[in-house]
Amino acid sequence: MLITRIVTAMGVAITIAACESAKPDAVWKSREYSFFSDRIKQGKFEAVAVSATEIRSDYRNPHDSGSAATKTWKLSKPIDSFPQYQSAELIANAIYNLSLEEMQRAIEPDSTFRTGQEWAGVWTRDISYSIILSMAYLQPEVAKKSLLRKVNEAKRIIQDTGTGGAWPVSSDRSIWICAAWELYLANGDTSWLRQAYEIGRNSVEDDMKTIYDRETGLVRGESSFLDWREQTYPAWMQPADIFESECLGTNAVHYGANISLSRMARLLNDTSGTTKFQSNAERIRNAVNEKLWIAERKRYGQFLYGRTHKIVSPKFEALGEALCILMGIADPEKSQVIIANAPFTPFGINCIYPNIPGIPPYHNDAVWPFVQAFWALAAANAGNETAVMESISAIYRAAGLFLTNKENFVASDGDYSGTEINSSNMLWSLAGNISLVHKVLFGIHFETDGLTFRPFIPGALDGIRTLTNFRYRNAVLNIELEGYGDSIRSFVIDGKETRTAVIPASAEGQHVIRIRMNDRFAKPSGILKADTLFSPPTPRLKAGADHLDWDPVKGAAGYRLIRNGETIQHGKGHRIRIDSSGFSVYQVIAISEHGVESFASEPLEEIKPSSLRIIEAEGRLKVPGPVNAGYTGNGYVEISPLNNTLVNVPVQVDAPGMYYVDIRYANGNGPVNTENKCAIRSLLVNQVNQGIFVFPQRGTNDWSSWGYTNSLRVRLNKGQNLLQLILLPENQNMNGEINSAFVDHFRLRRQ
């Protein structure tokens, strides 16, 4: 047995048994793997902590028929300037030290964070989530420099390149604001507070004009971090459809960003900003709880999606659910229900659940350690001991066996080699690993006026643990934590017991803290263990002369037909008669015998001719466009920052009412999946701003690929109306120079 003797700052020697036969029984175990005090064991593979600075693992790809070869991680960089962790779980101590070393390896020569071993440079969401988890206080200067790397000359946050040409199709750049606020809480730098507030305010004010949905109260844009469209959306959804989706995680991000800005504004005595951003946050929170909460499933839905009539996807989305709990969108009762009923698969919490059939693992059928870390934080917040212990074990299993903090791993077998893309030394994974010690076990939370402690220790980890050399502003803390439970029995600072577990922001110098836990849990604990599950394939709806039909879907026991966002039929048939007396939108969902739903089919519109108007763009302008294949009418028109910045479209209608307007367009400025050249324009109807159209990229130099923008629902008067497609200052995209598309025609459909 290896005995570790720790001498605390109090001069008291604590003996912690930490190795080999110290605990012959597993600390935690499942059918797939076990967590012992000194090792992780999965089948015939083991990761063994030789010491707190060395791990040996014989893990290999389970699909590889070759013999296992033992690999070793051994600490090779000094880490003594960072918080030092010791516990009875030697493997946990070693994994913590491995993560500290990988944190240092993630710092580039220019003192910014590298996203991962295979991912160069700073990415907005990666750096932001990493800062929130632990980098704000461990590497404050590197964190600050990295955040500023993601700010443009106009003092706006840069959206990562992505689907359809970045912002506003992807719109989760506001997580930067949450990270900037966390950095301020950690360092108390008022000059940083002022700088971050200006950048965040500018960005959110652009968002308010561009992506805030006036009807639902939600925020549009792709799911936060889930930015590979086939991995989380039905195949029929194009980037314009993804822009139009209203996603749980992205709305949680915008709620958190507005709350953070409101708090910044209050400290900076900006009364109007305090009120405005608080109002935004409340509107988003109310809308999430009204539009996305699914009571019968005991969780929030994944997103609203569709075109003119949105429906909710009931899939589970792990990061979004966790953020709703941590940011306060979910009340305590909802939080407990979500954690207890979330599907926890054998190797961890899936990014989405059920998974999408036919899509290889990456976000689909995968566990991401940084998401698992947020889940651990949310589980502690909700008081669920089982979920916390499962989350810790899932993260330690992967880091211990793989000898690195991987980007992700396959949910169904726990291996990293089966994912589409992966990286070692992944920044947000290592940041999440470290947060398990600091923010879950020791419960360290940064507040405006001080550091608070809310430790959460599962019963399996009962014992003594220490965290020394923890730096908070001008203070250095040496902490001893004893016992288990969900709240503190006693909190002693420098030998004096206090009633509140708080270190004031004004504290200076060395301090010794002793915490004794309550050795119990106030709330019931438990989780929903689930096997890896896939939904049925998405049906394809087809139109006949007077009916709709669809081919049978493999694994489907029945179908649900939807008209204009409402269910009109349940059954096993594959056909329904329809009456095209106006404008109707149909979708069908396949349902398995266990009640698992597919994504809804692509919306199929049935409209009588008198309700449809097509207005050719080239007929409204005297500047003819160049001619490529696939257009309608006599040609099309280029819109760019230099050409046709205002397009006037007079429209005569026989009946007043609500109309859906969209535009057929081409954008060959970039690929569908990356870069930053999504074109944006505002629509004025009778000189009143109605919102924006997005013209996402459809393929590099592919100007013959035509599709429709998002739809806007507008009121038209009987007789003459004027539609104006205009380039406004808030229509600036992430590129800054290229903001162009070809416009083929305008389409009007009377509701």
Side-chain angles (χ1 to χ4, degrees):
M1 178 187 294
L2 173 67
I3 302 295
T4 302
R5 292 180 60 82
I6 305 166
V7 179
T8 72
M10 295 170 282
V12 179
I14 302 168
T15 301
I16 300 178
C19 189
E20 297 297 335
S21 58
K23 288 187 178 180
D25 295 328
V27 175
W28 178 94
K29 63 181 177 181
S30 71
R31 183 181 61 191
E32 286 73 23
Y33 66 97
S34 300
F35 169 17
F36 295 87
S37 62
D38 69 324
R39 67 190 64 210
I40 303 290
K41 184 174 177 59
Q42 181 182 325
K44 60 184 178 181
F45 303 125
E46 278 190 334
V48 179
V50 178
S51 70
T53 59
E54 183 176 352
I55 306 172
R56 296 176 184 169
S57 173
D58 61 2
Y59 182 83
R60 73 168 190 272
N61 179 348
H63 307 293
D64 183 357
S65 59
S67 60
T70 299
K71 298 180 180 179
T72 301
W73 165 80
K74 195 169 185 177
L75 184 67
S76 59
K77 280 182 171 289
I79 59 171
D80 53 335
S81 62
F82 301 105
Q84 301 295 292
Y85 176 59
Q86 293 283 355
S87 74
E89 294 77 42
L90 184 62
I91 187 70
N93 303 342
I95 289 171
Y96 174 84
N97 291 334
L98 178 153
S99 299
L100 286 181
E101 182 176 69
E102 290 200 324
M103 173 187 70
Q104 295 184 83
R105 294 189 186 283
I107 300 174
E108 299 275 33
D110 66 354
S111 296
T112 61
F113 273 121
R114 184 181 182 89
T115 299
Q117 183 173 298
E118 305 301 325
W119 295 102
V122 182
W123 290 65
T124 301
R125 62 174 68 90
D126 297 62
I127 186 59
S128 298
Y129 283 119
S130 301
I131 287 169
I132 292 166
L133 285 165
S134 58
M135 293 300 107
Y137 56 91
L138 287 177
Q139 294 283 359
E141 290 305 313
V142 179
K144 177 181 176 181
K145 190 168 184 178
S146 298
L147 285 175
L148 290 176
R149 183 64 57 85
K150 303 306 294 185
V151 178
N152 65 20
E153 294 179 356
K155 296 185 179 181
R156 265 75 172 172
I157 305 161
I158 298 170
Q159 179 72 42
D160 292 327
T161 59
T163 299
W167 187 83
V169 176
S170 296
S171 63
D172 65 340
R173 63 179 181 165
S174 287
I175 194 64
W176 186 101
I177 300 167
C178 302
W181 174 242
E182 185 76 5
L183 182 57
Y184 167 74
L185 293 178
N187 66 19
D189 183 349
T190 54
S191 64
W192 168 249
L193 181 70
R194 287 190 292 270
Q195 186 178 16
Y197 179 63
E198 180 185 11
I199 295 164
R201 181 191 61 207
N202 292 342
S203 303
V204 168
E205 287 177 345
D206 286 347
D207 288 343
M208 290 170 65
K209 298 170 184 175
T210 305
I211 60 176
Y212 282 34
D213 188 328
R214 303 170 189 175
E215 291 192 24
T216 66
L218 294 169
V219 181
R220 299 181 179 91
E222 190 167 33
S223 296
S224 183
F225 115 86
L226 302 172
D227 61 341
W228 189 344
R229 62 193 185 109
E230 296 91 344
Q231 290 280 328
T232 43
Y233 285 95
W236 58 262
M237 287 183 70
Q238 299 190 27
D241 301 315
I242 291 174
F243 161 77
E244 192 62 27
S245 66
E246 299 179 339
C247 305
L248 181 66
T250 298
N251 275 271
V253 163
H254 282 275
Y255 172 80
N258 276 284
I259 285 291
S260 297
L261 283 178
S262 179
R263 291 168 179 167
M264 290 181 187
R266 185 176 292 110
L267 291 178
L268 295 170
N269 298 314
D270 180 356
T271 304
S272 63
T274 302
T275 301
K276 173 171 60 179
F277 297 122
Q278 181 66 36
S279 177
N280 281 349
E282 290 174 0
R283 187 181 306 111
I284 294 168
R285 181 186 61 203
N286 291 340
V288 168
N289 283 302
E290 178 187 349
K291 304 293 185 181
L292 291 174
W293 179 251
I294 309 174
E296 64 272 20
R297 295 181 183 266
K298 300 179 181 178
R299 64 173 180 252
Y300 293 103
Q302 180 186 17
F303 44 61
L304 293 183
Y305 69 122
R307 287 175 181 156
T308 56
H309 299 80
K310 294 175 186 173
I311 60 175
V312 65
S313 166
K315 285 182 185 289
F316 167 82
E317 194 258 286
L319 181 61
E321 305 279 358
L323 293 179
C324 283
I325 293 169
L326 292 168
M327 291 179 173
I329 292 175
D331 60 29
E333 181 180 357
K334 278 191 174 79
S335 298
Q336 293 173 46
V337 166
I338 291 167
I339 296 293
N341 292 278
F344 212 111
T345 55
F347 292 99
I349 203 84
N350 288 30
C351 290
I352 62 167
Y353 191 92
N355 299 295
I356 304 171
I359 301 296
Y362 184 63
H363 295 134
N364 189 60
D365 188 22
V367 177
W368 285 58
F370 98 91
V371 175
Q372 191 74 64
F374 275 108
W375 194 257
L377 288 163
N381 182 288
N384 192 312
E385 178 197 11
T386 306
V388 170
M389 192 64 215
E390 291 262 355
S391 296
I392 291 172
S393 300
I395 291 171
Y396 283 174
R397 180 205 71 87
L401 289 172
F402 305 159
L403 297 180
T404 183
N405 288 281
K406 284 286 187 182
E407 181 177 4
N408 51 52
F409 51 87
V410 181
S412 54
D413 64 14
D415 182 53
Y416 63 86
S417 64
T419 60
E420 286 286 270
I421 300 173
N422 215 318
S423 177
S424 300
N425 211 130
M426 196 70 182
L427 180 63
W428 52 14
S429 298
L430 68 89
N433 199 322
I434 294 168
S435 76
L436 296 179
V437 171
H438 297 168
K439 292 194 171 184
V440 177
L441 299 180
F442 282 84
I444 295 171
H445 297 274
F446 297 89
E447 310 290 350
T448 306
D449 53 359
L451 196 69
T452 65
F453 289 82
R454 297 191 295 275
F456 193 97
I457 312 291
L461 301 180
D462 182 20
I464 297 174
R465 62 198 68 246
T466 64
L467 187 65
T468 57
N469 195 35
F470 188 93
R471 299 180 181 276
Y472 170 56
R473 299 192 181 183
N474 296 317
V476 178
L477 310 178
N478 298 291
I479 311 157
E480 177 190 303
L481 177 61
E482 182 179 1
Y484 73 93
D486 60 5
S487 63
I488 294 172
R489 179 189 298 175
S490 65
F491 189 85
V492 178
I493 306 175
D494 299 330
K496 182 179 179 180
E497 186 168 355
T498 66
R499 300 184 66 180
T500 57
V502 177
I503 301 298
S506 59
E508 296 182 349
Q510 296 263 349
H511 297 277
V512 175
I513 300 169
R514 300 187 68 170
I515 303 172
R516 184 67 176 87
M517 297 299 292
N518 63 338
D519 295 342
R520 65 184 180 86
F521 296 95
K523 296 171 184 175
S525 181
I527 61 172
L528 178 62
K529 296 288 274 185
D531 292 328
T532 303
L533 182 68
F534 291 82
S535 62
T538 304
R540 181 174 177 269
L541 198 56
K542 298 173 287 185
D546 60 354
H547 67 274
L548 302 175
D549 61 26
W550 56 95
D551 294 331
V553 170
K554 183 180 180 180
Y559 303 90
R560 179 159 64 94
L561 192 69
I562 298 167
R563 177 181 177 273
N564 294 345
E566 301 291 335
T567 298
I568 60 171
Q569 177 178 299
H570 274 284
K572 296 184 178 182
H574 307 114
R575 173 177 289 207
I576 183 174
R577 293 184 64 84
I578 59 169
D579 176 16
S580 300
S581 57
F583 175 48
S584 296
V585 180
Y586 293 92
Q587 294 177 279
V588 64
I589 291 172
I591 306 172
S592 76
E593 61 178 347
H594 301 296
V596 178
E597 294 189 354
S598 71
F599 280 126
S601 62
E602 182 173 8
L604 193 154
E605 296 182 358
E606 287 293 313
I607 186 169
K608 64 180 181 180
S610 61
S611 297
L612 175 66
R613 291 277 304 279
I614 300 293
I615 304 170
E616 294 292 343
E618 79 280 357
R620 300 294 163 183
L621 293 167
K622 295 182 179 179
V623 181
V627 177
N628 284 329
Y631 60 88
T632 61
N634 296 319
Y636 49 90
V637 172
E638 179 187 11
I639 56 171
S640 74
L642 299 176
N643 298 318
N644 303 314
T645 57
L646 175 64
V647 179
N648 291 315
V649 183
V651 176
Q652 182 91 13
V653 297
D654 297 331
M658 303 305 298
Y659 290 75
Y660 291 102
V661 182
D662 59 9
I663 298 172
R664 191 169 188 261
Y665 80 99
N667 180 349
N669 285 309
V672 173
N673 62 330
T674 188
E675 297 190 15
N676 59 8
K677 305 180 186 74
C678 177
I680 312 168
R681 294 295 184 275
S682 293
L683 176 70
L684 308 185
V685 176
N686 299 324
Q687 299 185 330
V688 177
N689 195 324
Q690 301 294 319
I692 69 150
F693 289 121
V694 294
F695 305 79
Q697 299 163 186
R698 298 182 62 82
T700 303
N701 296 321
D702 189 355
W703 294 97
S704 296
S705 174
W706 300 90
Y708 282 98
T709 65
N710 59 299
S711 292
L712 290 174
R713 185 170 174 265
V714 304
R715 178 173 293 279
L716 298 181
N717 303 321
K718 182 179 180 179
Q720 190 75 6
N721 296 267
L722 179 62
L723 277 58
Q724 294 175 294
L725 188 66
I726 186 171
L727 178 63
L728 295 177
E730 60 263 29
N731 299 148
Q732 182 68 270
N733 62 11
M734 288 292 100
N735 184 268
E737 296 180 7
I738 299 174
N739 190 342
S740 62
F742 291 163
V743 172
D744 184 22
H745 65 236
F746 292 75
R747 182 171 64 168
L748 277 68
R749 293 151 292 169
R750 190 169 70 205
Q751 186 173 335

